[in-house]
Amino acid sequence: PTAAREPRPPTVMQKGGELPAAQDGQSTDLRDLRSLSRLDEVPVGEATRTFMAGGAVADGKLTLQAFSILYTDLVLQRGFEPASESVQRRVFGLIDQDSNGVVDLMELVCGLSLLCEGSDEDKIASVFRAFDVNGDGFVSRDEMFTFFTSVFRVGLNEKALAVMNSMGPTIQSAEELASVTVMECFKSADLNHDGRLSLEEMTKWFNEPGHDPSFLFSPLRWKHLQF
């Protein structure tokens, strides 16, 4: 017979809670911009490859002008009309989370994972490949923390924080939520304690019983979280 697993406390990845979907302007923008830009019909892997091929994002220097050129090429290849300049600026602004006028790798991967089409497995693999810069097949704890922080900043608002804090541990920011998530991930998945995860380990953790990886790539569905 299989040995019983030691029970674990609820984490940010578990289903079944009643946390309301984010209602702030950022989440409204996300929902609208996915449709207006037609990125919701572009596979996340294809989008990531197109933007990475430009080279500028790797240096953290993807400007609005460069973004618009790559975005236009991407949607034209899919047979879609590019969105207006106004929509393109809004998409860029959503991705450029620190509002410094350029997009770095973490911002791009986070943004495309939220905006583009794809299964949870597609998006996990796309995130992993972008982080694995040296191609050694692993991502670090710091890289994962940066990604989670970027994602949570898009959908986390005061109302969601209030509900989370009424259900358990006090969380004050996207950074704290990211830290808890990364700690849980590495505690469960980094079995050899080397401070890095393979794609297989990362995907296995996302898909453990009780986890709901879809929340990560859609802040509008955070009502499924339980803390």
Side-chain angles (χ1 to χ4, degrees):
T2 303
R5 294 181 63 180
E6 182 179 346
R8 296 182 303 172
T11 72
V12 296
M13 283 291 294
Q14 290 184 334
K15 298 180 182 178
E18 295 299 329
L19 183 65
Q23 300 294 325
D24 62 340
Q26 283 182 308
S27 293
T28 300
D29 272 353
L30 177 61
R31 180 184 59 215
D32 292 344
L33 292 179
R34 292 188 76 242
S35 175
L36 290 171
S37 66
R38 305 298 293 270
L39 288 173
D40 62 342
E41 299 183 61
V42 177
V44 64
E46 180 180 339
T48 303
R49 287 190 296 272
T50 296
F51 280 97
M52 293 289 288
V57 68
D59 299 323
K61 298 178 181 178
L62 185 68
T63 63
L64 172 59
Q65 181 180 11
F67 172 85
S68 294
I69 292 171
L70 292 169
Y71 160 78
T72 298
D73 288 345
L74 176 65
V75 294
L76 286 175
Q77 290 171 14
R78 302 292 298 178
F80 303 139
E81 257 324 289
S84 67
E85 290 185 9
S86 174
V87 169
Q88 291 183 40
R89 284 196 298 272
R90 288 171 61 195
V91 172
F92 184 83
L94 183 71
I95 296 175
D96 180 21
Q97 293 176 18
D98 59 8
S99 301
N100 68 346
V102 292
V103 167
D104 62 27
L105 176 62
M106 300 298 180
E107 289 174 326
L108 179 75
V109 174
C110 170
L112 295 181
S113 296
L114 294 170
L115 289 162
C116 293
E117 186 272 335
S119 66
D120 297 330
E121 288 73 19
D122 291 338
K123 295 183 177 185
I124 293 169
S126 181
V127 168
F128 186 92
R129 284 193 295 268
F131 286 166
D132 184 19
V133 178
N134 63 3
D136 69 350
F138 296 93
V139 295
S140 71
R141 185 187 297 262
D142 287 344
E143 289 167 335
M144 185 173 285
F145 171 78
T146 302
F147 173 72
F148 277 128
T149 299
S150 296
V151 173
F152 292 143
R153 281 176 181 164
V154 173
L156 199 61
N157 62 10
E158 291 184 7
K159 183 176 180 181
L161 280 172
V163 174
M164 280 188 272
N165 291 335
S166 71
M167 297 168 67
T170 300
I171 299 293
Q172 297 294 336
S173 66
E175 287 79 5
E176 287 187 44
L177 183 54
S179 180
V180 171
T181 305
V182 172
M183 181 174 64
E184 159 65 16
C185 177
F186 273 79
K187 179 181 178 181
S188 300
D190 184 21
L191 299 180
N192 62 357
H193 307 292
D194 64 351
R196 59 183 191 167
L197 295 178
S198 67
L199 175 58
E200 182 180 4
E201 289 173 324
M202 187 169 160
T203 303
K204 182 179 179 181
W205 177 75
F206 269 100
N207 291 306
E208 280 185 350
H211 282 184
D212 184 13
S214 63
F215 95 94
L216 176 61
F217 303 112
S218 183
L220 299 177
R221 295 172 59 189
W222 283 13
K223 64 183 179 181
H224 297 300
L225 289 180
Q226 177 178 326
F227 291 82

